[in-house]
Amino acid sequence: MRVVVAPDSFKGTADAATVAAAIADGWRTVRPADVAPLPMADGGEGTLDALAAAPDARRHLVTVTGPDGREVEAAWLELPGPDGPVGVVELASTSGIILIDELAPLTAHTRGFGQAIAAALDAGVHSLLLAIGSSCSTDGGAGALAALGARLLDTDGSPVADGGGGLASLQALDLSGLRSLPPGGARVLSDVTSPLIGPAGAAAVFGPQKGAGPEDVVRLDAALANLARVAAEAGRDADPTAPGAGAAGGTGFGLALWGATLGSGAAAVADAVGLDAALAGADLMVTGEGAYDGQSDAGKVVSEVRRRAAAAHVPVALVAGRVDAPTDAFASAVSLTELAGSGEAAMAQTLRWAREAGAELARRLPA
């Protein structure tokens, strides 16, 4: 029997690679099988680590400006591609919320993300995968654009201040110095389908998670609308209503201004790690995430794995930190919270209970 274990990270407790290994170890304690870990991601924190498991992946260290102005030691990833090297750059590790000590909804920025993209371009990558989850800013990708050579100017012709708050004074967008896309283009990886502005937009939906109060949300939404207006006047055809334009505080929109394509993070990661090839020889897929809930079927890793497994006629089992939605579509489902007796216990020893979950699946499912 061949089992492929392809979970997302259990955010806040364990990355995808260690969760996959723990589930696989647990299965093997109950019965022998060819159990292959295949960590997944959807564009958020952990995407770089998941893709680093791909054959011949190479990390390149880079020092960038973090979201609060301090230096951050980060890395971008080089993957082999059919037409040349593919660069993977992750916002979470260059401009992410884990890098800031105190939330700064009006001033946090994405400059470091753009600097890491520039480093990948300098190395001669043929194409880019840009993972934009886990941000702490609402700057519309302005910081990243500035790092790539764009000039965002106020009425005096001076650069606007960093962060979403600075976009309120934006009057002109000079893209004459903006770096070109690599030959194979850039693909944005995200699991967010929000537009840039409005009640379902970046500021309204995600601003509060980044420290924005009600007045900040109004201010940031207006600032993002101003960015969209100025961009249109500059002749850029990026659509602020497009699904994903509001991802990562509007970074999806900023990257679209550059010419990047918005898309599903889980699908791109699945392609990069060879999920379809793994399915071709599998008898069972095991996937999972920290919380399986009503949002899990909206472009998350679990839904992508299940969709591809169904097409390949391979059954799928679920391991989740907690289960808050029906699991009828799975061959079996195990909740770490139920195994451990509480959510607190499950989070305190996630890998222990992930091993127990793997063992439980091996006992439940037929050989």
Side-chain angles (χ1 to χ4, degrees), residues 211-279:
E215 293 182 0
D216 295 330
V217 167
V218 173
R219 180 176 173 182
L220 288 168
D221 190 63
L224 292 173
N226 188 47
L227 171 63
R229 177 189 64 79
V230 173
E233 291 175 352
R236 310 303 281 197
D237 59 359
D239 181 4
T241 68
T251 300
F253 178 76
L255 293 172
L257 285 178
W258 186 36
T261 302
L262 303 179
S264 165
V269 172
D271 290 341
V273 301
L275 179 61
D276 290 338
L279 277 165

XYZ file of all heavy atoms in Angstrom, residues 211-279:
441
model
N -4.252 45.134 13.112
C -4.236 46.206 14.091
C -5.040 47.434 13.729
O -5.015 48.429 14.461
N -5.775 47.410 12.624
C -6.524 48.582 12.187
C -7.841 48.700 12.944
O -8.654 47.768 12.957
C -6.802 48.506 10.685
N -8.063 49.859 13.579
C -9.349 50.156 14.190
C -10.326 50.640 13.140
O -9.975 50.803 11.965
N -11.584 50.899 13.538
C -12.598 51.327 12.563
C -12.190 52.544 11.748
O -12.402 52.582 10.526
C -13.814 51.611 13.445
C -13.626 50.733 14.644
C -12.151 50.701 14.876
N -11.601 53.555 12.384
C -11.179 54.740 11.639
C -10.007 54.418 10.701
O -9.929 54.951 9.585
C -10.795 55.864 12.592
C -11.970 56.426 13.386
C -11.558 57.582 14.286
O -10.351 57.937 14.272
O -12.420 58.114 14.995
N -9.115 53.542 11.141
C -7.993 53.132 10.291
C -8.499 52.409 9.048
O -7.968 52.603 7.944
C -7.046 52.201 11.057
C -6.354 52.875 12.218
O -6.121 54.090 12.145
O -6.064 52.172 13.205
N -9.506 51.556 9.227
C -10.053 50.800 8.097
C -10.592 51.755 7.038
O -10.328 51.598 5.836
C -11.145 49.818 8.566
C -11.933 49.274 7.380
C -10.524 48.676 9.367
N -11.345 52.758 7.473
C -11.884 53.747 6.536
C -10.752 54.471 5.818
O -10.776 54.667 4.590
C -12.792 54.749 7.271
C -13.220 55.880 6.342
C -14.022 54.034 7.829
N -9.743 54.866 6.570
C -8.610 55.590 5.987
C -7.840 54.718 4.998
O -7.462 55.185 3.905
C -7.690 56.064 7.111
C -6.473 56.838 6.650
C -5.682 57.333 7.849
N -4.415 57.941 7.442
C -3.520 58.410 8.291
N -3.738 58.331 9.606
N -2.382 58.942 7.843
N -7.613 53.480 5.358
C -6.866 52.587 4.485
C -7.645 52.250 3.217
O -7.071 52.165 2.121
C -6.490 51.306 5.240
C -5.410 51.462 6.309
C -5.335 50.213 7.185
C -4.046 51.742 5.671
N -8.948 52.043 3.353
C -9.763 51.747 2.168
C -9.716 52.922 1.191
O -9.586 52.737 -0.026
C -11.196 51.440 2.583
C -12.028 50.885 1.435
O -11.686 49.793 0.943
O -13.000 51.554 1.026
N -9.811 54.141 1.719
C -9.737 55.332 0.862
C -8.352 55.453 0.221
O -8.223 55.848 -0.950
C -10.058 56.578 1.671
N -7.312 55.100 0.965
C -5.952 55.181 0.429
C -5.757 54.171 -0.699
O -5.119 54.478 -1.725
C -4.941 54.933 1.548
N -6.287 52.961 -0.541
C -6.194 51.955 -1.596
C -6.990 52.381 -2.827
O -6.567 52.144 -3.971
C -6.672 50.596 -1.084
C -5.801 49.928 -0.026
C -6.484 48.681 0.519
C -4.422 49.560 -0.596
N -8.152 52.990 -2.594
C -8.940 53.512 -3.720
C -8.149 54.589 -4.464
O -8.206 54.683 -5.698
C -10.269 54.065 -3.223
N -7.403 55.394 -3.719
C -6.573 56.424 -4.343
C -5.464 55.785 -5.183
O -5.158 56.255 -6.294
C -5.968 57.327 -3.266
C -5.244 58.526 -3.841
O -5.764 59.211 -4.719
N -4.037 58.776 -3.367
N -4.872 54.715 -4.683
C -3.865 53.994 -5.454
C -4.454 53.490 -6.772
O -3.832 53.627 -7.836
C -3.320 52.818 -4.642
C -2.401 51.841 -5.393
C -1.126 52.534 -5.868
C -2.062 50.635 -4.501
N -5.645 52.899 -6.701
C -6.288 52.392 -7.919
C -6.557 53.525 -8.912
O -6.372 53.371 -10.122
C -7.572 51.667 -7.562
N -6.999 54.687 -8.396
C -7.275 55.844 -9.264
C -6.015 56.333 -9.957
O -5.987 56.539 -11.180
C -7.893 56.976 -8.432
C -8.158 58.262 -9.226
C -8.556 59.402 -8.314
N -7.502 59.796 -7.381
C -6.462 60.559 -7.713
N -6.316 61.009 -8.962
N -5.551 60.878 -6.801
N -4.946 56.497 -9.179
C -3.698 56.999 -9.745
C -3.114 55.998 -10.740
O -2.574 56.381 -11.790
C -2.689 57.319 -8.623
C -1.332 57.683 -9.188
C -3.219 58.448 -7.745
N -3.233 54.709 -10.437
C -2.734 53.686 -11.353
C -3.482 53.727 -12.677
O -2.880 53.592 -13.751
C -2.856 52.307 -10.714
N -4.805 53.916 -12.615
C -5.593 54.008 -13.844
C -5.175 55.223 -14.665
O -5.065 55.155 -15.893
C -7.076 54.066 -13.507
N -4.920 56.339 -13.983
C -4.479 57.546 -14.678
C -3.110 57.360 -15.322
O -2.789 58.014 -16.329
C -4.443 58.720 -13.706
C -5.830 59.172 -13.251
C -5.771 60.258 -12.195
O -4.646 60.554 -11.711
O -6.833 60.804 -11.840
N -2.305 56.449 -14.734
C -0.982 56.166 -15.291
C -1.045 55.169 -16.439
O -0.012 54.806 -17.013
C -0.056 55.644 -14.197
N -2.266 54.711 -16.752
C -2.446 53.807 -17.888
C -2.272 52.346 -17.568
O -2.190 51.519 -18.485
N -2.256 51.984 -16.301
C -2.148 50.569 -15.933
C -3.540 49.973 -15.854
O -4.467 50.573 -15.301
C -1.435 50.397 -14.595
C -0.121 51.139 -14.494
C 0.861 50.747 -15.575
N 1.534 49.483 -15.294
C 2.646 49.082 -15.896
N 3.215 49.835 -16.833
N 3.208 47.930 -15.591
N -3.724 48.781 -16.411
C -5.064 48.206 -16.509
C -5.354 47.156 -15.438
O -6.244 46.332 -15.599
C -5.282 47.604 -17.896
C -4.277 46.506 -18.225
O -3.408 46.233 -17.379
O -4.379 45.929 -19.328
N -4.598 47.146 -14.345
C -4.897 46.222 -13.251
C -6.284 46.506 -12.714
O -6.682 47.652 -12.531
C -3.855 46.365 -12.144
N -7.037 45.445 -12.456
C -8.442 45.564 -12.053
C -8.566 45.474 -10.538
O -8.317 44.412 -9.960
C -9.245 44.448 -12.723
C -10.728 44.498 -12.398
O -11.158 45.449 -11.709
O -11.448 43.583 -12.832
N -8.983 46.539 -9.854
C -9.117 46.474 -8.394
C -10.253 45.565 -7.931
O -10.297 45.203 -6.754
C -9.374 47.931 -7.999
C -9.936 48.570 -9.228
C -9.273 47.885 -10.387
N -11.157 45.185 -8.838
C -12.251 44.292 -8.456
C -11.920 42.824 -8.699
O -12.715 41.945 -8.366
C -13.539 44.640 -9.231
O -13.361 44.322 -10.627
C -13.877 46.112 -9.090
N -10.770 42.541 -9.275
C -10.410 41.162 -9.597
C -10.240 40.333 -8.330
O -9.723 40.822 -7.321
C -9.109 41.133 -10.397
N -10.685 39.078 -8.342
C -10.451 38.201 -7.191
C -8.959 38.104 -6.875
O -8.155 37.814 -7.761
C -11.005 36.852 -7.659
C -11.984 37.184 -8.725
C -11.425 38.393 -9.419
N -8.609 38.376 -5.631
C -7.210 38.318 -5.218
C -6.504 39.654 -5.237
O -5.388 39.760 -4.733
N -7.146 40.692 -5.820
C -6.503 42.016 -5.820
C -6.291 42.523 -4.401
O -5.346 43.259 -4.117
C -7.336 43.010 -6.619
N -7.166 42.128 -3.480
C -7.054 42.569 -2.100
C -6.193 41.683 -1.220
O -6.047 41.951 -0.026
N -5.620 40.642 -1.788
C -4.787 39.737 -0.998
C -3.571 40.470 -0.446
O -3.000 41.344 -1.097
C -4.332 38.561 -1.858
N -3.189 40.095 0.770
C -2.001 40.654 1.433
C -2.047 42.169 1.475
O -1.094 42.854 1.121
C -0.724 40.177 0.735
N -3.165 42.709 1.924
C -3.304 44.157 2.060
C -3.216 44.887 0.740
O -2.750 46.019 0.667
N -3.696 44.233 -0.337
C -3.661 44.840 -1.658
C -2.385 44.565 -2.426
O -2.218 45.078 -3.540
N -1.492 43.750 -1.898
C -0.265 43.414 -2.627
C -0.601 42.692 -3.929
O 0.130 42.825 -4.922
C 0.673 42.566 -1.756
O 1.011 43.308 -0.574
C 1.949 42.199 -2.494
N -1.706 41.934 -3.930
C -2.140 41.304 -5.178
C -2.350 42.339 -6.268
O -1.951 42.144 -7.426
N -2.965 43.461 -5.912
C -3.197 44.536 -6.884
C -1.877 45.154 -7.328
O -1.655 45.394 -8.524
C -4.096 45.602 -6.274
C -4.360 46.776 -7.196
C -5.245 46.662 -8.248
C -3.719 47.994 -6.991
C -5.486 47.731 -9.108
C -3.950 49.071 -7.828
C -4.839 48.942 -8.888
N -0.991 45.419 -6.381
C 0.295 46.006 -6.725
C 1.084 45.124 -7.679
O 1.691 45.615 -8.648
N 1.077 43.822 -7.446
C 1.791 42.910 -8.332
C 1.113 42.825 -9.697
O 1.781 42.662 -10.729
C 1.892 41.529 -7.690
C 2.769 41.467 -6.439
C 2.656 40.107 -5.769
C 4.235 41.769 -6.772
N -0.228 42.933 -9.705
C -0.935 42.967 -10.987
C -0.555 44.215 -11.783
O -0.464 44.182 -13.015
C -2.437 42.906 -10.754
N -0.323 45.345 -11.081
C 0.164 46.556 -11.765
C 1.496 46.286 -12.451
O 1.782 46.837 -13.523
C 0.341 47.693 -10.758
C -0.899 48.398 -10.227
C -0.503 49.450 -9.215
C -1.672 49.038 -11.378
N 2.314 45.466 -11.841
C 3.609 45.108 -12.417
C 3.431 44.209 -13.642
O 4.286 44.181 -14.527
C 4.459 44.426 -11.348
C 5.868 44.120 -11.747
C 6.683 44.869 -12.543
C 6.638 42.984 -11.338
N 7.914 44.267 -12.673
C 7.920 43.113 -11.944
C 6.374 41.885 -10.522
C 8.923 42.165 -11.746
C 7.376 40.957 -10.324
C 8.637 41.097 -10.926
N 2.313 43.458 -13.673
C 2.054 42.535 -14.766
C 1.966 41.089 -14.340
O 1.806 40.188 -15.180
N 2.059 40.836 -13.036
C 1.953 39.466 -12.535
C 0.527 38.956 -12.667
O -0.431 39.718 -12.708
C 2.399 39.413 -11.069
N 0.391 37.638 -12.727
C -0.903 36.974 -12.851
C -1.358 36.486 -11.484
O -0.600 35.818 -10.774
C -0.797 35.777 -13.812
O -0.340 36.232 -15.089
C -2.150 35.097 -13.980
N -2.598 36.810 -11.116
C -3.152 36.348 -9.842
C -3.675 34.926 -10.010
O -4.310 34.607 -11.014
C -4.284 37.275 -9.391
C -3.934 38.760 -9.238
C -5.166 39.548 -8.806
C -2.811 38.945 -8.232
N -3.413 34.070 -9.011
C -3.876 32.691 -9.118
C -3.919 31.998 -7.775
O -3.612 32.583 -6.734
N -4.296 30.727 -7.809
C -4.423 29.915 -6.602
C -3.060 29.462 -6.115
O -2.289 28.845 -6.861
C -5.289 28.687 -6.885
O -5.148 27.718 -5.864
N -2.779 29.748 -4.859
C -1.517 29.312 -4.289
C -1.424 27.809 -4.167
O -0.405 27.205 -4.499
N -2.497 27.167 -3.700
C -2.474 25.719 -3.505
C -2.254 24.989 -4.822
O -1.519 24.005 -4.888
C -3.772 25.266 -2.844
N -2.886 25.471 -5.892
C -2.730 24.820 -7.200
C -1.297 24.934 -7.699
O -0.723 23.965 -8.225
C -3.698 25.437 -8.200
N -0.696 26.112 -7.537
C 0.673 26.306 -8.010
C 1.654 25.452 -7.211
O 2.595 24.874 -7.782
C 1.050 27.781 -7.922
N 1.462 25.378 -5.903
C 2.344 24.545 -5.075
C 2.176 23.078 -5.447
O 3.154 22.329 -5.555
C 2.073 24.772 -3.581
C 2.850 23.775 -2.727
C 2.443 26.200 -3.186
N 0.934 22.655 -5.674
C 0.687 21.265 -6.077
C 1.427 20.929 -7.358
O 2.016 19.846 -7.492
C -0.814 21.032 -6.251
N 1.422 21.852 -8.312
C 2.159 21.631 -9.556
C 3.656 21.544 -9.285
O 4.360 20.686 -9.835
C 1.886 22.769 -10.543
C 0.464 22.753 -11.095
O -0.191 21.697 -11.017
O 0.023 23.805 -11.582
N 4.151 22.453 -8.446
C 5.596 22.539 -8.213
C 6.143 21.312 -7.484
O 7.276 20.885 -7.748
C 5.926 23.807 -7.434
N 5.377 20.742 -6.548
C 5.873 19.589 -5.778
C 5.527 18.257 -6.427
O 5.906 17.201 -5.930
C 5.350 19.613 -4.318
C 5.770 20.887 -3.615
C 3.826 19.429 -4.260
N 4.786 18.282 -7.546
C 4.476 17.043 -8.259
C 3.358 16.234 -7.643
O 3.417 14.995 -7.606
N 2.306 16.911 -7.184
C 1.196 16.199 -6.558
C 0.532 15.215 -7.513
O 0.193 14.090 -7.125
C 0.161 17.200 -6.035
C -1.081 16.600 -5.362
C -0.695 15.777 -4.136
C -2.065 17.697 -4.962
N 0.335 15.588 -8.757
C -0.332 14.688 -9.706
C 0.474 13.414 -9.926
O -0.091 12.314 -10.007
C -0.567 15.400 -11.039
C -1.622 16.493 -10.942
O -2.451 16.428 -10.011
O -1.615 17.409 -11.784
N 1.788 13.550 -10.017
C 2.633 12.366 -10.187
C 2.559 11.470 -8.950
O 2.536 10.236 -9.061
C 4.076 12.778 -10.455
N 2.504 12.085 -7.764
C 2.382 11.296 -6.533
C 1.049 10.559 -6.479
O 0.971 9.415 -6.028
C 2.535 12.208 -5.325
N 0.005 11.203 -6.963
C -1.318 10.573 -6.981
C -1.362 9.361 -7.898
O -2.092 8.399 -7.648
C -2.368 11.590 -7.434
C -2.911 12.537 -6.372
C -3.641 13.710 -7.022
C -3.841 11.795 -5.422
